[in-house]
Amino acid sequence: MESILETMDYIPMNRPMWWGTLGTVRPFLPFDPVMDARQIYAALEKKSTDVMTLVRIITNRTNAQRQSIATAYNNLTQKDLGAALKKALSGPLEELLLALMMTPAGFDASRLRQAMEGLGTDEEALLEVLCTRSPDQLRDITVAYKEAYSRYLENDLIGETSKDFTSLVLAILKKEEINRQGVIDYQLIDQDVRNLNDGVSGKKSDPAPWIQILTSRSLDHLNRVLSTLEELKGEAVDKTIQKHFSGDLRLGLRILVRTIQNTPLFLAQRLQACMKKNAVVRGILVARSEEDLLWVRVEFRKLANVSLYTTIQKEFKGDLQAALLALCRSEDV
């Protein structure tokens, strides 16, 4: 363990940092994809696979850099790097490194497919991906899903969900922000608050305005709407949803609202609740490693009173632990 982490190729402190991100994985400099590809090839060709080298390189490059390495590996060996990793590795470590070698859209598409495969649908996994992605990202995911599985994501969502929950997930998938970003429209805020309140004021709750409003406004606008609604009703929006909706729709609206209000906190809560589930931990660390994992770490520390880094050390062992810690990156005191 110590040897893997100590030999990690961190960016030297005297080099310019890649600002503008709350991710833990940043561009490695100086980057040489051909050299990385050669080292990976050598690690895979050993009688006993040199896992330390694979972890050291793959967890310490951005996704764009990993794609360059994959191209260089193919040019060098005339073989696919993903297939080579799959042949040499097994179990959770194989799944993690293969996830890191996918494009972001491809990885999210694979998570959606896994959530819908087999008996029953993992609604929380489905919602985690859909609710934490921008409209542009969702469009990329839709394309990647069709390319990977020769299936239409929208059709699969319809087939695996029902009633109002279907309407919600399709609205999230196709969400478009109709209000202007950065412009505070007080009239629209008041109108949205009234419509949301009206939706839960009758004998039977009406999910239509909730679905329509929560999937067609900017985050800044929605946070103003939700805070105003909370003041009006004297309770958290989460409690309002729990009182007036049920089943998968209630779950979907709750997760959607939580991601609108604070996505990193939602992800920290999910990590805390699902730390023993490899797929959940892998999904969040890989998906958020270049976006906001630093913020997720902060929220996890406040929530659990222990750092994510320490928690991973306790819950995982061996090479998988080393790879997850490399993505998490460091301790939060």
Side-chain angles (χ1 to χ4, degrees):
M1 164 57 59
E2 188 171 308
S3 60
I4 295 178
L5 295 177
E6 285 185 347
T7 56
M8 199 66 67
D9 295 332
Y10 290 111
I11 300 173
M13 290 303 292
N14 61 346
R15 290 188 177 276
M17 293 299 288
W18 185 43
W19 299 112
T21 178
L22 288 169
T24 54
V25 176
R26 304 183 178 198
F28 176 77
L29 301 171
F31 175 56
D32 184 341
V34 175
M35 181 181 295
D36 284 346
R38 286 174 177 163
Q39 290 185 23
I40 288 174
Y41 176 74
L44 290 170
E45 287 299 300
K46 290 186 177 181
K47 286 186 178 180
S48 179
T49 303
D50 181 1
V51 175
M52 183 181 76
T53 294
L54 299 179
V55 170
R56 176 176 59 81
I57 294 174
I58 294 175
T59 62
N60 198 37
R61 305 293 187 271
T62 64
N63 190 273
Q65 290 178 327
R66 289 181 219 124
Q67 302 312 314
S68 295
I69 293 170
T71 299
Y73 185 91
N74 182 265
N75 293 336
L76 178 69
T77 67
Q78 306 305 307
K79 295 179 181 179
D80 178 70
L81 177 53
L85 290 170
K86 197 168 185 177
K87 182 178 179 181
L89 303 170
S90 63
L93 181 65
E94 173 201 334
E95 294 170 340
L96 177 61
L97 295 189
L98 287 176
L100 287 166
M101 292 308 304
M102 293 181 185
T103 64
F107 178 56
D108 281 340
S110 74
R111 295 172 74 200
L112 291 173
R113 185 70 196 133
Q114 288 168 10
M116 292 186 282
E117 278 184 322
L119 293 175
T121 299
D122 186 343
E123 288 83 6
E124 288 193 38
L126 201 68
L127 290 161
E128 181 201 315
V129 176
L130 294 176
C131 292
T132 60
R133 291 309 187 192
S134 69
D136 286 343
Q137 288 172 320
L138 289 170
R139 282 189 283 272
D140 290 342
I141 291 166
T142 300
V143 172
Y145 191 94
K146 180 64 167 62
E147 290 176 348
Y149 306 108
S150 299
R151 304 169 67 97
Y152 291 98
L153 177 56
E154 182 177 348
N155 290 346
D156 281 353
L157 289 171
I158 292 171
E160 293 295 328
T161 60
S162 61
K163 300 180 180 177
D164 291 326
F165 186 57
T166 302
S167 299
L168 176 63
V169 295
L170 291 182
I172 296 171
L173 181 66
K174 299 176 179 181
K175 61 186 175 186
E176 294 283 354
E177 298 173 1
I178 64 172
N179 61 307
R180 291 171 58 194
Q181 188 75 33
V183 176
I184 303 175
D185 187 336
Y186 292 103
Q187 186 175 354
L188 184 60
I189 290 171
D190 289 341
Q191 178 184 316
D192 285 347
V193 171
R194 283 197 304 272
N195 289 340
L196 290 177
N197 189 49
D198 289 346
V200 293
S201 294
K203 288 185 177 180
K204 184 179 180 181
S205 297
D206 180 8
W210 285 75
I211 293 172
Q212 191 270 327
I213 291 168
L214 295 178
T215 61
S216 62
R217 309 285 195 267
S218 68
L219 286 179
D220 181 61
H221 175 90
L222 285 173
N223 274 299
R224 292 174 187 275
V225 169
L226 295 176
S227 62
T228 304
L229 181 64
E230 288 180 339
E231 291 175 8
L232 175 67
K233 300 191 72 65
E235 64 183 14
V237 177
D238 187 74
K239 188 173 182 180
T240 300
I241 293 170
Q242 290 192 66
K243 285 166 60 176
H244 295 281
F245 299 102
S246 61
D248 290 341
L249 176 64
R250 176 167 64 184
L251 174 68
L253 288 174
R254 290 185 69 199
I255 289 179
L256 180 55
V257 165
R258 286 161 65 190
T259 57
I260 289 168
Q261 293 177 323
N262 190 336
T263 292
L265 174 58
F266 163 71
L267 295 171
Q269 290 168 333
R270 186 150 162 77
L271 281 170
Q272 185 185 37
C274 305
M275 187 55 67
K276 295 188 181 298
K277 297 181 180 179
N278 281 330
V280 174
V281 177
R282 175 177 68 247
I284 293 175
L285 264 64
V286 171
R288 314 308 295 196
S289 60
E290 292 182 53
E291 293 189 25
D292 56 4
L293 191 53
L294 287 174
W295 193 356
V296 175
R297 277 172 30 186
V298 170
E299 294 291 357
F300 189 94
R301 181 71 177 80
K302 291 191 291 186
L303 184 68
N305 202 31
V306 64
S307 72
L308 179 58
Y309 194 91
T310 293
T311 304
I312 290 171
Q313 282 182 317
K314 291 179 180 177
E315 294 291 341
F316 298 92
K317 303 295 180 185
D319 297 324
L320 177 62
Q321 181 200 68
L324 291 172
L325 290 177
L327 292 176
C328 184
R329 217 46 153 192
S330 62
E331 183 67 88
D332 296 303
V333 180

